[in-house]
């Protein structure tokens, strides 16, 4: 869904940033006995990504490990889809 929204809103200059995190040290994960990242760290990484124009934040080691196991979808799949969408929106 995030990637679809990113493609749809790109032509108007809207940056959509996906923030991925494992366990965040909040009440929701209080009973989880696993490494956790602070909410402040996740928020700071999200703001840094927006400033840098990045489309994705991998906030902790767990999410970086999972992402390393996946194909390079943002680099290989979405640029041609974005170009197609932008051409359709602008009528060119």
């Amino acid at each position: 869904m995030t990637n679809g929204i990113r493609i749809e809103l790109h032509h108007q200059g809207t940056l959509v940033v996906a923030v991925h995190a494992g366990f965040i040290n909040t009440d929701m994960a209080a009973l989880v006995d696993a490494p956790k990242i602070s909410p402040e760290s996740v928020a700071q990484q999200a703001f840094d990504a927006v400033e840098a124009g990045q489309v994705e934040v991998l906030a902790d080691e767990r999410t970086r490990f999972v992402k390393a196991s996946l194909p390079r979808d943002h680099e290989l799949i979405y640029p041609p889809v974005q170009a197609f969408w932008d051409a359709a929106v602008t009528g060119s």
Side-chain angles (χ1 to χ4, degrees):
M1 184 170 177
T2 302
N3 292 329
I5 292 169
R6 179 181 298 116
I7 288 169
E8 187 172 340
L9 298 179
H10 179 264
H11 75 279
Q12 68 182 29
T14 300
L15 174 65
V16 176
V17 179
V19 178
H20 305 279
F23 297 112
I24 301 172
N25 194 10
T26 64
D27 291 344
M28 190 169 146
L31 300 177
V32 175
D33 184 24
K36 300 173 193 165
I37 189 169
S38 74
E40 295 83 7
S41 177
V42 175
Q44 186 61 58
Q45 290 180 65
F47 285 124
D48 291 346
V50 170
E51 287 181 354
Q54 297 173 331
V55 298
E56 187 171 61
V57 172
L58 305 174
D60 59 4
E61 191 58 38
R62 180 183 306 265
T63 56
R64 287 187 286 275
F65 173 79
V66 170
K67 180 65 177 189
S69 303
L70 300 173
R72 297 173 19 220
D73 59 328
H74 289 290
E75 299 169 37
L76 301 175
I77 297 170
Y78 291 101
V81 174
Q82 183 69 64
F84 177 81
W85 182 268
D86 289 346
V89 168
T90 62
S92 56

